[in-house]
């Protein structure tokens, strides 16, 4: 289906009254990703100060029940950028580039490149570390910018000595430096430059911000936006009755065993403060890009997509960072804004998945669709956000959470999870045999914080039976080998 602003333009009348039709006007695509960004909408109780994201949501449709396919960088990004699930790609960890196992797969930007678009990458879009191949050069019209680095190397670059670090908690840094001292400020500056360079040609510009991923090192002025004493409290308790397989050791923030950190209350509060500062810093960089798009007169010619690659825990459930199947990790922020402002400002509660973006953008831009995509176009939801296109969304994660190809031992289990309109149901299956080891069921309506595992609760038996059936259809009980 092609949107009405992609219609054929009549350019003249020939002798004899015959009309001449020009090629269809194709919209540009500005595709923006954030790293480790869970849903933090102020109208839903978050203290986050994100004026540019809020303004973008008023221009498009905000999807409040959008889900990643795995809460880890490489599997999530590889899935949504190829339109294929992690099981199809056979990719569940960070150390293997998706092309090592799927050399001929076509990515979202590569498809646009093959159909006449200039495609550019600024910042982190594909997975940025641990893999032999760096980025995916064949997807882009020109070399990628600041796409392959280590988050821990994002140190302040300033003239002279760096100002003192006023933070105290681990992984936190609060220095009075300009935005471009860190990665995301430089990503925004380059995105602005590239926009000016490619403004006169159909483009697919991907802008990948590195934040709010740790370290929590936003410039001081973004920390100063928040009063830590007034930030909401959090519940660090594990859900009642939840199996041990559902949890992990939070090593991304706490370090590796046996010397893992246990955060004090004050340290945890500062980390949460730093996460919000990172989020506001990223939002400000997004604003610079959107403002340039407007100044260039491209608002009415460009589809804008904004999403996070996966969610994040900040102490809830006793967890830090990602790699779980809980709602906080699986759900992601997603906004799609089209030039004609279809359904502008109307949030949707439809269940959608990150891998739906590939078919959506192909659909909206009137391109032929590649074969083998496993998502569904969100175009109907842009016309009517109150409708639905699917009954469930699926997420998965292995245990151990960070196994990689160098591991000599076979992973213990795969957790496969389904989110329906009413429940989240998860099965933890033996990696080798496929046998179910443990199960979880959370009432998404009465217990959105997932504090009580109600598996086999008679009051939820119909919802559990239906979720179990759908889960088995998506993830047959066969070994993950």
């Amino acid at each position: 289906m092609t949107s009405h602003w992609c219609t054929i333009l009549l350019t003249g009348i020939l002798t004899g009254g015959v009309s001449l039709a020009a090629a269809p006007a194709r919209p540009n695509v500005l595709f923006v990703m954030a790293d480790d960004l869970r849903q933090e909408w102020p109208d839903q109780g978050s203290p986050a100060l994100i004026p540019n994201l809020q303004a973008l949501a008023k221009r498009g449709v905000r999807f409040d029940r959008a889900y990643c396919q795995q809460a880890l960088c490489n599997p999530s990004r590889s899935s949504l950028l190829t339109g294929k699930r992690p099981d199809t790609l056979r990719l569940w960890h960070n150390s293997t580039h998706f092309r090592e196992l799927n050399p001929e797969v076509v990515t979202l930007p590569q498809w646009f490149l093959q159909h006449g678009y200039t495609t550019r990458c600024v910042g982190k879009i594909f997975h940025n570390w641990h893999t032999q191949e760096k980025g995916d050069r064949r997807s882009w019209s020109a070399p990628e910018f600041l796409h392959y680095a280590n988050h821990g190397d994002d140190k302040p670059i300033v003239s002279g000595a760096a100002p003192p670090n006023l933070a105290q908690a681990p992984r936190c840094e609060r220095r009075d430096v300009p935005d471009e001292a860190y990665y995301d400020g430089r990503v925004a500056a380059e995105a602005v430059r590239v926009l000016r360079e490619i403004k006169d040609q159909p483009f697919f510009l991907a802008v990948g911000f590195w934040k709010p991923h740790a370290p929590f090192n936003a410039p001081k002025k973004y920390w100063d936006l928040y009063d830590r004493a007034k930030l909401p409290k959090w519940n660090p308790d594990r859900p009642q009755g939840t199996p041990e397989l559902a949890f992990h050791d939070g090593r991304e923030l706490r370090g590796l065993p046996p010397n893992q950190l246990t955060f004090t209350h004050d340290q945890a509060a500062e980390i949460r403060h730093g996460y919000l500062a990172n989020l506001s810093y990223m939002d400000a960089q997004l604003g610079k890009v959107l403002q340039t798009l407007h100044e260039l007169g491209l608002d009415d010619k460009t589809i804008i997509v904004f999403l996070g690659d996966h969610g994040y825990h900040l102490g809830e459930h006793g967890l830090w960072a990602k790699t779980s199947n809980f709602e906080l990790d699986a759900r992601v922020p997603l906004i799609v804004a089209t030039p004609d402002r279809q359904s502008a400002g109307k949030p949707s509660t439809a269940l959608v998945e990150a891998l739906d973006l590939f078919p959506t953008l192909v659909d909206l831009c009137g391109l032929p669709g590649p074969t083998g995509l496993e998502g569904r176009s969100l175009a109907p939801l842009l016309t009517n956000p109150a409708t639905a296109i699917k009954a469930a969304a699926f997420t998965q994660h292995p245990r151990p959470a960070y196994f990689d190809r160098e591991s000599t031992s076979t992973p213990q289990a795969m957790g496969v999870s389904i989110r329906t309109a009413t429940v989240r149901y998860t099965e933890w299956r033996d990696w080798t045999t496929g046998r179910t080891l443990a199960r979880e069921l959370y009432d998404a309506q009465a217990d959105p914080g997932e504090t009580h595992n109600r598996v086999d609760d008679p009051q939820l038996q119909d919802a559990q039976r239906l979720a179990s059936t759908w889960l088995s259809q998506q993830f047959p009980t066969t070994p993950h080998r």
Side-chain angles (χ1 to χ4, degrees):
M1 181 182 74
T2 304
S3 293
H4 64 267
W5 36 263
C6 288
T7 54
I8 294 176
L9 301 176
L10 298 180
T11 60
I13 303 297
L14 298 179
T15 302
V18 180
S19 63
L20 176 65
R26 288 180 172 176
N28 306 310
V29 177
L30 176 61
F31 187 87
V32 185
M33 291 188 69
D35 198 345
D36 283 9
L37 177 57
R38 66 192 204 170
Q39 283 197 12
E40 289 282 354
W41 299 118
D43 64 314
Q44 296 180 357
S46 171
L49 299 173
I50 46 173
N52 294 295
L53 275 172
Q54 288 179 282
L56 180 59
K58 291 179 180 178
R59 292 173 53 181
V61 175
R62 188 185 80 187
F63 294 92
D64 287 344
R65 292 199 294 187
Y67 295 90
C68 70
Q69 278 43 81
Q70 187 177 328
L72 188 63
C73 180
N74 191 31
S76 172
R77 291 168 184 257
S78 297
S79 174
L80 72 91
L81 289 164
T82 62
K84 299 180 184 296
R85 297 187 185 277
D87 278 8
T88 302
L89 296 173
R90 294 171 292 148
L91 186 63
W92 310 282
H93 48 77
N94 275 347
S95 59
T96 298
H97 195 283
F98 65 91
R99 290 207 185 273
E100 292 184 43
L101 301 174
N102 309 271
E104 301 306 318
V105 70
V106 177
T107 70
L108 171 59
Q110 186 181 9
W111 188 254
F112 273 74
L113 178 64
Q114 292 175 0
H115 289 84
Y117 277 73
T118 293
T119 61
R120 300 292 291 271
C121 172
V122 178
K124 181 180 177 181
I125 295 297
F126 291 99
H127 180 57
N128 70 309
W129 202 241
H130 306 302
T131 57
Q132 293 179 3
E133 185 169 344
K134 298 175 173 60
D136 190 57
R137 179 64 185 84
R138 73 195 73 182
S139 290
W140 311 107
S141 302
E144 300 111 306
F145 173 86
L146 197 55
H147 70 292
Y148 192 84
N150 189 322
H151 288 275
D153 292 336
D154 189 9
K155 307 295 185 183
I157 297 178
V158 295
S159 177
N165 177 18
L166 304 177
Q168 297 182 355
R171 307 302 301 278
C172 291
E173 190 173 300
R174 184 175 184 172
R175 300 181 192 269
D176 192 2
V177 295
D179 287 2
E180 291 185 27
Y182 294 108
Y183 287 170
D184 275 0
R186 301 199 289 278
V187 166
E190 178 67 5
V192 166
R193 189 198 68 78
V194 171
L195 268 176
R196 297 186 185 280
E197 177 186 319
I198 64 177
K199 62 183 176 61
D200 296 324
Q201 51 197 293
F203 65 76
F204 182 108
L205 173 59
V207 180
F209 291 116
W210 292 69
K211 296 302 181 193
H213 192 294
F216 306 111
N217 59 355
K220 179 179 179 294
K221 63 183 177 181
Y222 298 104
W223 287 78
D224 293 346
L225 294 173
Y226 300 92
D227 181 345
R228 192 180 309 165
K230 296 181 180 179
L231 295 180
K233 306 302 179 184
W234 67 97
N235 181 4
D237 297 333
R238 286 188 170 191
Q240 298 179 31
T242 297
E244 186 64 30
L245 278 169
F247 303 99
H248 57 85
D249 60 17
R251 62 182 55 195
E252 182 175 322
L253 291 183
R254 297 181 57 219
L256 297 174
N259 301 312
Q260 287 197 303
L261 300 173
T262 298
F263 301 130
T264 67
H265 181 275
D266 288 345
Q267 287 175 329
E270 187 169 13
I271 289 171
R272 293 170 65 85
H273 184 176
Y275 182 88
L276 291 169
N278 274 8
L279 176 49
S280 292
Y281 169 52
M282 183 277 297
D283 180 83
Q285 310 319 302
L286 170 66
K288 297 173 185 177
V289 179
L290 296 178
Q291 179 61 30
T292 301
L293 194 76
H294 175 71
E295 292 172 356
L296 294 174
L298 296 173
D299 283 346
D300 295 334
K301 302 176 183 178
T302 305
I303 299 167
I304 305 172
V305 172
F306 176 90
L307 76 154
D309 59 351
H310 47 70
Y312 205 74
H313 275 76
L314 290 166
E316 300 92 351
H317 298 151
L319 294 176
W320 293 94
K322 57 264 192 182
T323 71
S324 83
N325 281 322
F326 288 116
E327 189 82 355
L328 275 171
D329 280 358
R331 191 171 60 188
V332 298
L334 173 62
I335 300 169
V336 179
T338 53
D340 59 4
R341 309 285 177 102
Q342 284 191 86
S343 306
K346 295 181 180 180
S348 172
T349 58
L351 291 162
V352 302
E353 299 175 286
L355 55 73
D356 294 330
L357 286 173
F358 198 148
T360 299
L361 290 172
V362 167
D363 192 355
L364 293 177
C365 293
L367 304 184
T371 60
L373 297 182
E374 296 183 76
R376 298 186 61 181
S377 174
L378 304 179
L381 299 177
L382 299 176
T383 302
N384 181 7
T387 190
I389 61 168
K390 56 179 61 175
F394 300 92
T395 302
Q396 62 187 112
H397 216 292
R399 289 292 180 264
Y402 282 102
F403 91 94
D404 58 39
R405 65 180 179 184
E406 284 80 23
S407 298
T408 57
S409 60
T410 300
Q412 177 186 0
M414 175 64 80
V416 291
S417 188
I418 179 173
R419 176 64 156 84
T420 71
T422 59
V423 299
R424 174 170 293 284
Y425 175 68
T426 302
E427 291 183 359
W428 292 94
R429 298 175 180 171
D430 184 274
W431 186 275
T432 302
T433 68
R435 180 175 62 88
T436 299
L437 304 174
R439 297 176 298 152
E440 303 170 67
L441 181 70
Y442 302 100
D443 187 334
Q445 297 171 313
D447 182 24
E450 298 180 333
T451 64
H452 185 191
N453 180 13
R454 297 181 61 185
V455 69
D456 295 333
D457 186 325
Q459 295 182 359
L460 296 176
Q461 61 179 347
D462 290 341
Q464 178 176 326
R465 185 180 305 111
L466 184 61
S468 177
T469 299
W470 287 342
L471 188 70
S472 294
Q473 290 172 353
Q474 182 61 54
F475 299 103
T477 52
T478 54
H480 273 84
R481 293 178 180 172

